[in-house]
Amino acid sequence: MSEEASVRRKASVTTFSGLANRVAVVTGDSGGIGAATSRLLAANGTKVVVNGRDEVTIDAEVTGIQNQGGQAIGFASDASSWITGVTLDVNDGIVP
């Protein structure tokens, strides 16, 4: 993405003050609505856990969020097959 496109993208992000300093797990983040949701949350100061089936796409999404100044980690898996929940402890550095 060019620097100009990046600036336009940042300028057009809707802001929600209540999202800052929260953690969100976004499933289905290999593209479309999931990816857009992760970017919007990160742009509003939410620490994002990016999840989807395609590891390459997830890694690219995490890198994109981090390049825009957001905080994100990612892992590839099929959320529909999860048997147990995922526990996140931000204080222990699960999300940078």
Side-chain angles (χ1 to χ4, degrees):
M1 175 183 309
S2 72
E3 185 175 342
E4 180 182 332
S6 176
V7 169
R8 279 196 316 264
R9 183 173 165 192
K10 273 188 170 180
S12 66
V13 172
T14 304
T15 57
F16 301 95
S17 60
L19 295 175
N21 301 312
R22 299 196 180 250
V23 176
V25 178
V26 180
T27 61
D29 204 330
S30 295
I33 294 171
T37 300
S38 288
R39 289 190 298 269
L40 176 67
L41 289 166
N44 279 277
T46 303
K47 297 170 183 165
V48 182
V49 179
V50 177
N51 169 254
R53 294 180 186 175
D54 183 345
E55 186 171 359
V56 172
T57 305
I58 296 304
D59 290 345
E61 186 64 28
V62 168
T63 299
I65 289 170
Q66 292 171 341
N67 287 344
Q68 294 292 320
Q71 296 181 51
I73 61 169
F75 65 100
S77 70
D78 182 353
S80 68
S81 67
W82 290 357
I83 296 172
T84 58
V86 176
T87 302
L88 303 173
D89 187 343
V90 177
N91 295 320
D92 286 338
I94 299 299
V95 177

